[in-house]
Amino acid sequence: MVPDLPTVRQDGAGGIDSCPRHLGTIYEGNPDADANGVLSIADTNINPGSPATKLISNGHTAENGAPYKTKQQVGSNGIFWPPLKAVPLASFYKVHRVPSLDSLTIMAEEQNSVQAIELPQNEPSNIEEPQDKSPPPNGVHNKILENVIRTPGRQPSPQPTHLGVPGSSQHRVLPEQGSGYIAPKFEGKEQQMDQVMDLIEEKGFIPAEFVETETNWFYNELGIDDMYFQTESVPAIVNHILSLYAGKVAAFARDDGKLEIRLDKEAADHAVYIDTSKPGVSVIDGPRYEQRIDEKYINGSVGDNSYRVESFRSASHLPGEKDQQLRCYFVYKCQFANPNPGTEETNLDIIGEKRFLQKATQNTRAIYQEVMNHAVTRTGPVIEMFEMEGSREKRLVIAYKQGSAMGLFSALSDLYHYYGATSSRKYVEQFSNGFTIMSIYVRPLPQTSTTAKHPPIEASIHQIMKEVSLLYCIPQNKFQGHFACGRLSLQETIYAHCVWVFVGHFLNRLGSEYKSLASILDPNNSAHAEMLSKIKRRLRTETFTSEYILEIINKYPDLVRALYLAFANTHYVQTRGEQDDFLPTLSYLRLKVDPVLDDSQLRDRISKVVVNEHDEMVMTAFRVFNSAVLKTNFYTPTKVALSFRLNPSFLPEVEYPQPLYGMFLVISSEFRGFHLRFRDIARGGIRIVKSRNKEAYSINARSLFDENYNLANTQQRKNKDIPEGGSKGVILLDVHHQDKVRVAFEKYIDSIMDLLLKPSSPGIKDPIVDLHGQEEILFMGPDENTADLVNWATEHARKRGATWWKSFFTGKSPKLGGIPHDAYGMTTLSVREYVKGIYRKLSLDESTVRKLQTGGPDGDLGSNEILLGQEKYTAIVDGAGVLVDPQGLDRAELVRLAKKRVMISEYDTSKLSAAGYRVLVDETNVTLPTGEVVNNGMVFRNTFHLRGGHHYDTFVPCGGRPESIDLSTVNKLIVDGKSTIPYIVEGANLFITQDAKLRLEKAGCILYKDASANKGGVTSSSLEVLASLSFDDQGFEENMCIRTDGAVPAFYDAYVKEVQETIKRNAALEFEAIWREHQQTGIPRSTLSDTLSIAITKLDEELQKTELWNDMRLRTSVLEDALPKLLLEKIGLELIVQRVPDKYLRSIFGSYLASRFVYEHGSSPSQFAFFE
């Protein structure tokens, strides 16, 4: 048995570092040690040359500059004994730990000139654990698992990533020697070699006496396998040999005599790169071949355009260069055994690449098959490690979906270099089912005074495995250079990257002038609020840019380190006490010299270090970020993106007058995104924003948060009839990842779920520090570019064990219990109530009303508006163009198009009258029946709605871009002070700006805005959520899920009808309230819509603070009125109350009372009037 040894702090922040900050183990109580606890040869009476002793320098230095050394006794069997009375740093250092040595068995043999050490197997250890368990003097107080704030009701969560757990039986020992690949023997190799030498002699660049030795060296000593020689032509091989020889010759011309060989050849189906390489060193200049391979071949690998990579390091050093070797890379275009397998296929013989299947040993196949079986069930990567028998070398195997980790191949090199390791061979294999598997053979560097500061590879390999998960989230962060050269750890640079994103969104303050203007204007006035929003957007384009912020942060790596330490001290949890093996990668000496600073100390440090006001603003934003983070998955060993739950109180009230309840920030290499909500119980869609080019991306990035805030705020006003407040999620795709819609959505959802679910797999999903301390449930729905992804989100929530998976997303398939808005016309039913309300109040005959509609028969709202309405359509505008007939478009033909869901381009033009016409967007120089010539169909389509109301009475926008009518264009619809369109019901969101609405109303138009008119969809979604929460899983599947054969449960059919009636009833109530209040006060209807929303929301919040909820009779009475009758009949109030979260029921109670009271009594009465 290996004796129990204490966990010893070995450097975890190693790598190439210009500032030695590392300290190993201090030895006390030894009479031979000096005042610093250093045991040196001079202090001992043991002969240094004696075979009975060996003195090992650990590469660390004491404060006086002397090297720390440890004396280790050697028995007759050649086994090293540990030093006596070593004081472990575990008790002092509680932020970084590598696995304890008692779990390590280090083989005693030479491997590539590295002295392996075997720990004694049968002798008891004399090392004593320190008794002092007092808190460390530097202020590091990391959370032990038992002390973490527990979130009530968080549920178990299977890991999205498969990660081998240190110390488990998963790390098997591979019996085979070598690479796990056997290249087919190239029978013509000797003959080719002769041809190569002949051609070299013919060229005459290499002296004849050196031709054979140079050729032999290339063929036999660099470790190049036969696949290369079989693939390459004789002239190509000759060129490579000549290039290598030229590098040797060029070394003599250099002042430093350094031998530097760089060779690359790129063909259509393969590529070769050969570079001089110092083991364990990341080269941050030069050709950067690994980054090139990432960008040109691995990142874009998909389908037939996939590439596999083989890389190896030469076994021998270069002539005259004892620390230099050659690193070779060979890239081959994949030739799959089956290019188009089934989506769930995992059999390597079917999905494998032909060269891989030809070369891989049975052992390698078995490993890859097992890893592949795991990979297809995961959202994130599979990370496994295998021991190599008889060697300290480790085989790291990583599998992930193609395209989900850009730049990972090159970033991995920086990672294991940081821990004092290098690789002998690397393989990247592609599989036709859409997965990539990397295999890296990692070994320790030869023992020197420089490498001694690193932990043994038996320990560091586990840290490397854990950090691969972090690297997977952001393989190439904005501060990668600091990591590659060892100045900052991986965790520090990724932390800095995340704060850089945060700073870019929230640093751009608008100055005192904006604050003064905002104080003059009325924030409750919609027109004023909209104007302020436009001014804010304009001002922000002229402040801090992301490049400027990056430049500032790069100047202060020491500040980043101190700020990160404060972040880590708050959010890292030691899950296994002193045996913890995944902690922030910081060296012990850094902690000793630089203790964890509190916020005031950080403020002082920043003010002393920075050189100007701008720098101070940027670095101070790190403090704001640290204080705002309530929980994060940063330290969860397995994750696919980084998520942060933020306290939004840092937002300035002058810019964001309506306070947010919750804010999530999610960051990955493919995207950044927010999720904002105005109340604890809130619902809203998730949209993905694309950018046409870099300029569009910059604009979208600057406005990302404000757009999200405004959308959630609009949703908040729209949700006045339902228990959920407003929320919205916006995902902005990175400019280089516009095709990663699905990847981004999956990572966004999964990483937010990390913060909602209770982790239950130690070492896989560890507990998090939850400063919020309350259970959170988010309700989401589809929006732009996500409608086809919600089924995946629902199923994924179920797989991760979320009890609320049924209610997580609305808009899902009916087979999963969803109620599709388009199929049942939910949004249109609300819009129609406002249209019919106008006709009813004015006693208009619907069939005689002339109607204009944007958004044609192909869309949800447009098609259902056609099907439900009976007006005389005179014009329809959609994506295809413009369709007009002053005499009225043929209703039967419109119904045909609406049922078929196609554009007006399929309208039968023979059914048009003589005055009718159709102009498509791709047409030019079209002459209309009036004689007018349309030069450009696209321009005509985009501006048609501004041509005035000569042929229609009612305008219902059912589609179109936001702000299609604004203050600059609204005058085209006003003639002689009177609106040319008598009635407008805004079905499409934000189609008309608020200031334009007020101008139209002043000109006599009867106008109902989007927040009132199109709320049918949110009502449907809310009732869908309520049913999901009320049923148990079995009841939900029986009553709310359409069968695979298409059979609809009777309850589902009846429930949908009740939802439709509820939508119409709520719309009618609001219509009457706005009409009545406008008649009484003369206030514009578009203003009253917002006023009513604010009044309902405010009264709802006030009512929830009262004791009314505790009145059981009132509570029961209100819930019986508010809940759908069918649910009450099917489940019963008692069971519903047990199953639905208490906060959700409170919201139902408050919103129902508030909305009904305000609709009846108007927007002015307070809660006091309510009680009266």
Side-chain angles (χ1 to χ4, degrees):
M1 294 291 293
V2 179
D4 291 334
L5 301 179
T7 302
V8 177
R9 166 64 190 165
Q10 304 273 1
D11 171 44
I16 306 106
D17 198 329
S18 59
C19 302
R21 303 184 297 270
H22 312 288
L23 188 62
T25 307
I26 300 176
Y27 298 91
E28 296 180 350
N30 192 310
D32 295 328
D34 63 15
N36 293 313
V38 179
L39 188 67
S40 65
I41 295 177
D43 296 325
T44 68
N45 55 12
I46 302 174
N47 181 355
S50 166
T53 64
K54 287 195 178 182
L55 193 66
I56 308 297
S57 170
N58 65 10
H60 303 305
T61 58
E63 292 180 3
N64 60 7
Y68 280 105
K69 300 180 180 179
T70 63
K71 181 171 68 176
Q72 301 187 353
Q73 303 294 331
V74 183
S76 59
N77 59 357
I79 295 176
F80 293 120
W81 288 75
L84 296 179
K85 291 196 69 178
V87 178
L89 303 180
S91 62
F92 182 91
Y93 178 69
K94 294 192 176 184
V95 175
H96 175 65
R97 184 93 49 210
V98 293
S100 56
L101 295 179
D102 61 349
S103 66
L104 306 177
T105 301
I106 307 177
M107 306 303 297
E109 66 178 76
E110 288 284 312
Q111 176 67 24
N112 294 328
S113 304
V114 178
Q115 180 66 43
I117 301 172
E118 183 176 84
L119 298 177
Q121 301 295 305
N122 299 306
E123 301 293 337
S125 170
N126 292 320
I127 298 179
E128 298 176 6
E129 286 283 3
Q131 300 303 312
D132 181 17
K133 299 295 184 180
S134 59
N138 67 339
V140 182
H141 298 280
N142 282 281
K143 285 69 189 168
I144 302 300
L145 177 59
E146 287 71 20
N147 299 330
V148 178
I149 298 173
R150 296 298 184 147
T151 303
R154 284 166 58 134
Q155 302 301 318
S157 168
Q159 64 273 22
T161 303
H162 179 86
L163 177 66
V165 181
S168 75
S169 60
Q170 291 175 329
H171 300 314
R172 295 183 295 278
V173 177
L174 300 181
E176 70 182 2
Q177 300 290 329
S179 67
Y181 286 76
I182 300 175
K185 184 175 177 59
F186 178 30
E187 299 296 343
K189 186 174 181 179
E190 293 297 328
Q191 180 182 356
Q192 184 194 67
M193 191 173 171
D194 289 338
Q195 294 173 352
V196 166
M197 287 189 286
D198 290 342
L199 187 54
I200 292 174
E201 287 185 357
E202 181 182 323
K203 290 183 177 291
F205 292 111
I206 301 178
E209 60 271 24
F210 294 152
V211 170
E212 185 173 355
T213 57
E214 290 296 321
T215 306
N216 273 322
W217 176 71
F218 184 81
Y219 266 78
N220 301 318
E221 294 188 34
L222 294 186
I224 303 175
D225 67 24
D226 283 8
M227 180 68 73
Y228 163 80
F229 296 107
Q230 197 164 2
T231 303
E232 293 291 352
S233 64
V234 169
I237 296 172
V238 168
N239 286 339
H240 294 167
I241 294 174
L242 290 176
S243 298
L244 294 175
Y245 183 79
K248 299 177 186 178
V249 174
F252 290 98
R254 296 171 61 116
D255 293 337
D256 56 6
K258 184 179 179 181
L259 177 57
E260 193 172 81
I261 297 171
R262 287 170 177 170
L263 181 153
D264 62 86
K265 175 200 171 184
E266 296 173 347
D269 59 350
H270 70 284
V272 178
Y273 304 94
I274 300 177
D275 193 12
T276 316
S277 173
K278 183 177 180 179
V281 176
S282 292
V283 180
I284 57 178
D285 53 8
R288 296 171 67 83
Y289 287 140
E290 291 197 349
Q291 286 79 1
R292 194 157 151 190
I293 291 170
D294 262 331
E295 294 169 4
K296 190 163 187 176
Y297 299 104
I298 301 177
N299 289 352
S301 284
V302 59
D304 291 335
N305 193 39
S306 297
Y307 292 85
R308 62 185 300 271
V309 180
E310 297 183 15
S311 174
F312 55 84
R313 181 178 297 282
S314 63
S316 59
H317 295 288
L318 293 175
E321 298 282 343
K322 65 178 182 178
D323 60 348
Q324 292 272 45
Q325 295 172 309
L326 283 185
R327 165 68 74 179
C328 305
Y329 303 90
F330 301 96
V331 183
Y332 302 99
K333 190 166 186 178
C334 292
Q335 300 174 17
F336 291 114
N338 181 349
N340 300 297
T343 55
E344 302 298 322
E345 183 60 64
T346 60
N347 188 331
L348 296 190
D349 290 325
I350 297 175
I351 62 177
E353 199 271 343
K354 291 180 180 178
R355 289 186 184 87
F356 165 77
L357 296 174
Q358 190 178 26
K359 296 175 66 174
T361 63
Q362 284 302 113
N363 216 350
T364 294
R365 281 198 184 204
I367 291 170
Y368 279 33
Q369 186 65 69
E370 180 180 343
V371 168
M372 179 62 74
N373 292 340
H374 285 302
V376 296
T377 66
R378 307 290 174 183
T379 311
V382 171
I383 306 165
E384 277 285 12
M385 185 272 288
F386 300 88
E387 310 275 357
M388 302 300 291
E389 187 177 47
S391 165
R392 295 183 70 195
E393 192 168 61
K394 315 295 177 186
R395 186 175 185 179
L396 191 62
V397 180
I398 304 165
Y400 59 92
K401 292 178 183 176
Q402 285 180 339
S404 66
M406 304 299 209
L408 184 62
F409 179 67
S410 55
L412 283 169
S413 299
D414 295 336
L415 179 58
Y416 55 73
H417 290 168
Y418 188 86
Y419 286 100
T422 187
S423 62
S424 57
R425 282 181 172 264
K426 297 191 279 192
Y427 298 89
V428 181
E429 301 293 354
Q430 308 289 352
F431 296 88
S432 58
N433 65 342
F435 281 83
T436 299
I437 297 182
M438 292 184 183
S439 188
I440 303 172
Y441 292 77
V442 182
R443 60 174 58 171
L445 293 172
Q447 191 75 17
T448 66
S449 60
T450 303
T451 60
K453 64 187 178 183
H454 299 293
I457 193 169
E458 291 76 12
S460 62
I461 190 65
H462 298 297
Q463 184 72 15
I464 291 169
M465 289 176 65
K466 298 287 183 69
E467 295 209 6
V468 168
S469 173
L470 191 60
L471 205 59
Y472 174 82
C473 298
I474 308 177
Q476 299 289 337
N477 69 74
K478 289 293 182 180
F479 304 92
Q480 192 79 14
H482 289 287
F483 173 51
C485 72
R487 193 175 297 114
L488 292 172
S489 70
L490 176 65
Q491 294 177 41
E492 288 164 340
T493 56
I494 290 185
Y495 161 78
H497 178 99
C498 293
V499 183
W500 168 75
V501 172
F502 174 86
V503 173
H505 289 291
F506 301 111
L507 183 65
N508 297 325
R509 300 283 68 88
L510 304 175
S512 58
E513 294 83 359
Y514 177 86
K515 191 174 295 187
S516 299
L517 179 60
S519 65
I520 296 171
L521 300 178
D522 179 8
N524 295 320
N525 184 308
S526 302
H528 290 187
E530 190 168 312
M531 184 174 69
L532 279 173
S533 176
K534 291 180 179 179
I535 293 173
K536 179 165 56 176
R537 191 159 57 238
R538 176 70 61 85
L539 288 174
R540 282 199 166 160
T541 62
E542 301 168 3
T543 51
F544 288 78
T545 65
S546 60
E547 292 78 12
Y548 184 41
I549 295 168
L550 186 64
E551 178 186 327
I552 291 172
I553 298 174
N554 268 314
K555 293 193 293 186
Y556 301 106
D558 291 337
L559 281 181
V560 169
R561 192 177 302 122
L563 289 156
Y564 168 74
L565 186 53
F567 171 83
N569 187 51
T570 300
H571 292 285
Y572 185 71
V573 181
Q574 276 184 254
T575 56
R576 290 171 291 281
E578 294 301 328
Q579 300 305 312
D580 209 338
D581 64 337
F582 182 58
L583 294 156
T585 37
L586 301 170
S587 69
Y588 163 75
L589 187 58
R590 181 187 306 165
L591 280 175
K592 187 173 182 182
V593 175
D594 299 323
V596 178
L597 304 180
D598 62 28
D599 191 62
S600 62
Q601 292 171 319
L602 285 170
R603 182 183 63 241
D604 294 342
R605 171 77 67 86
I606 290 169
S607 64
K608 291 176 183 177
V609 172
V610 296
V611 297
N612 58 49
E613 183 183 359
H614 280 186
D615 290 11
E616 184 170 10
M617 289 175 66
V618 170
M619 300 314 296
T620 297
F622 277 73
R623 290 176 42 234
V624 175
F625 176 81
N626 283 359
S627 63
V629 177
L630 297 176
K631 50 185 173 178
T632 176
N633 70 347
F634 192 93
Y635 294 107
T636 299
T638 58
K639 51 193 166 288
V640 294
L642 296 171
S643 56
F644 304 89
R645 167 60 162 92
L646 303 176
N647 181 344
S649 62
F650 68 88
L651 294 172
E653 185 178 355
V654 66
E655 296 181 45
Y656 305 100
Q658 298 297 325
L660 285 168
Y661 176 86
M663 176 194 304
F664 287 86
L665 169 62
V666 186
I667 300 171
S668 174
S669 58
E670 296 89 1
F671 70 93
R672 63 181 64 176
F674 288 99
H675 185 274
L676 308 178
R677 72 190 199 275
F678 281 91
R679 292 168 68 176
D680 185 10
I681 302 297
R683 200 195 66 79
I686 309 298
R687 67 170 51 181
I688 294 179
V689 177
K690 295 182 175 182
S691 309
R692 295 186 306 277
N693 49 47
K694 195 169 184 178
E695 181 182 0
Y697 174 78
S698 297
I699 294 170
N700 289 335
R702 281 197 299 268
S703 62
L704 175 65
F705 181 81
D706 282 357
E707 177 184 345
N708 196 336
Y709 178 90
N710 292 332
L711 287 169
N713 202 10
T714 300
Q715 194 77 28
Q716 171 79 355
R717 294 195 299 271
K718 191 186 297 185
N719 289 8
K720 50 184 163 287
D721 293 327
I722 61 177
E724 300 98 338
S727 73
K728 208 73 171 182
V730 179
I731 301 169
L732 175 63
L733 294 177
D734 184 81
V735 66
H736 302 297
H737 299 283
Q738 294 298 299
D739 59 337
K740 296 294 191 302
V741 170
R742 188 175 190 90
V743 169
F745 180 82
E746 291 183 1
K747 289 186 175 185
Y748 174 88
I749 295 298
D750 188 77
S751 59
I752 287 181
M753 290 179 67
D754 284 344
L755 304 185
L756 302 178
L757 295 171
K758 178 182 178 180
S760 61
S761 308
I764 302 296
K765 285 291 182 189
D766 285 343
I768 60 174
V769 175
D770 186 354
L771 301 180
H772 184 55
Q774 298 178 31
E775 180 185 15
E776 292 190 284
I777 302 175
L778 301 185
F779 302 105
M780 302 179 180
D783 206 313
E784 291 180 13
N785 298 311
T786 62
D788 59 339
L789 301 173
V790 296
N791 286 349
W792 174 89
T794 303
E795 293 285 11
H796 187 63
R798 173 155 57 177
K799 288 178 182 177
R800 287 201 60 178
T803 57
W804 33 259
W805 67 269
K806 305 185 296 294
S807 59
F808 186 38
F809 258 87
T810 56
K812 52 188 177 288
S813 164
K815 293 180 180 179
L816 291 171
I819 301 177
H821 297 175
D822 56 349
Y824 297 103
M826 298 303 192
T827 306
T828 310
L829 285 172
S830 179
V831 174
R832 288 302 303 168
E833 282 303 311
Y834 285 85
V835 174
K836 291 192 299 182
I838 293 173
Y839 299 159
R840 184 175 65 251
K841 291 293 184 182
L842 301 179
S843 302
L844 298 176
D845 180 359
E846 181 178 342
S847 63
T848 64
V849 174
R850 297 170 301 172
K851 183 176 181 180
L852 162 67
Q853 178 177 310
T854 57
D858 61 314
D860 164 18
L861 193 53
S863 62
N864 284 309
E865 180 67 18
I866 291 171
L867 294 173
L868 295 175
Q870 298 296 324
E871 295 95 338
K872 179 181 178 181
Y873 274 90
T874 56
I876 292 180
V877 181
D878 70 2
V882 178
L883 181 65
V884 176
D885 194 333
Q887 305 303 316
L889 294 166
D890 185 272
R891 173 158 180 78
E893 180 66 2
L894 288 178
V895 169
R896 182 185 72 82
L897 298 184
K899 289 183 176 180
K900 195 177 176 183
R901 286 290 179 90
V902 293
M903 294 186 183
I904 59 170
S905 54
E906 296 195 24
Y907 185 91
D908 183 357
T909 54
S910 67
K911 299 182 182 294
L912 291 173
S913 69
Y917 59 87
R918 182 182 66 189
V919 179
L920 301 180
V921 292
D922 55 357
E923 292 180 335
T924 57
N925 299 321
V926 178
T927 302
L928 304 182
T930 59
E932 178 186 354
V933 176
V934 175
N935 296 318
N936 184 299
M938 178 71 74
V939 174
F940 185 71
R941 190 279 306 271
N942 291 345
T943 59
F944 182 83
H945 62 281
L946 299 172
R947 289 170 63 86
H950 301 296
H951 303 298
Y952 37 82
D953 307 303
T954 297
F955 177 24
V956 182
C958 294
R961 295 300 303 160
E963 303 185 2
S964 291
I965 301 175
D966 59 17
L967 201 57
S968 65
T969 58
V970 71
N971 287 330
K972 295 181 180 180
L973 299 177
I974 299 173
V975 177
D976 298 328
K978 185 172 178 61
S979 172
T980 59
I981 307 175
Y983 326 117
I984 298 178
V985 176
E986 189 182 25
N989 280 323
L990 307 175
F991 188 84
I992 310 172
T993 63
Q994 182 67 15
D995 47 13
K997 289 186 181 87
L998 295 176
R999 289 290 297 275
L1000 285 168
E1001 288 203 66
K1002 187 176 181 180
C1005 178
I1006 296 176
L1007 189 151
Y1008 282 88
K1009 70 181 297 182
D1010 53 350
S1012 293
N1014 72 2
K1015 64 181 182 178
V1018 302
T1019 304
S1020 173
S1021 295
S1022 178
L1023 293 172
E1024 179 185 327
V1025 166
L1026 180 59
S1028 302
L1029 294 171
S1030 300
F1031 281 109
D1032 59 16
D1033 284 5
Q1034 181 180 349
F1036 183 75
E1037 292 184 13
E1038 289 176 359
N1039 294 285
M1040 288 297 295
C1041 296
I1042 291 180
R1043 311 289 182 257
T1044 53
D1045 61 359
V1048 180
F1051 179 87
Y1052 182 95
D1053 190 53
Y1055 191 68
V1056 166
K1057 291 175 182 176
E1058 185 170 5
V1059 170
Q1060 291 174 323
E1061 291 304 313
T1062 302
I1063 289 171
K1064 291 192 285 186
R1065 182 168 61 251
N1066 287 345
L1069 284 171
E1070 185 175 359
F1071 173 85
E1072 293 292 342
I1074 293 174
W1075 186 278
R1076 181 183 64 248
E1077 194 145 344
H1078 172 74
Q1079 295 292 94
Q1080 294 172 355
T1081 66
I1083 297 173
R1085 293 178 179 86
S1086 54
T1087 300
L1088 286 172
S1089 176
D1090 293 335
T1091 305
L1092 282 175
S1093 297
I1094 294 169
I1096 292 172
T1097 302
K1098 186 176 180 182
L1099 181 57
D1100 179 8
E1101 292 171 353
E1102 290 173 344
L1103 289 174
Q1104 291 191 46
K1105 294 175 185 176
T1106 68
E1107 296 299 317
L1108 288 177
W1109 174 254
N1110 297 325
D1111 184 334
M1112 293 302 299
R1113 287 183 58 192
L1114 177 62
R1115 181 197 304 186
T1116 301
S1117 175
V1118 171
L1119 291 178
E1120 286 177 346
D1121 287 341
L1123 296 173
K1125 302 305 178 190
L1126 278 172
L1127 281 180
L1128 290 170
E1129 294 170 4
K1130 187 75 176 180
I1131 303 171
L1133 180 60
E1134 185 177 348
L1135 261 182
I1136 292 175
V1137 169
Q1138 289 178 17
R1139 292 171 177 171
V1140 177
D1142 184 69
K1143 289 187 289 187
Y1144 197 90
L1145 289 172
R1146 282 175 177 266
S1147 293
I1148 293 175
F1149 178 85
S1151 63
Y1152 183 82
L1153 282 178
S1155 62
R1156 294 312 184 264
F1157 179 76
V1158 171
Y1159 287 154
E1160 183 175 346
H1161 297 283
S1163 57
S1164 300
S1166 67
Q1167 77 272 27
F1168 302 109
F1170 176 88
F1171 288 112
E1172 292 172 2

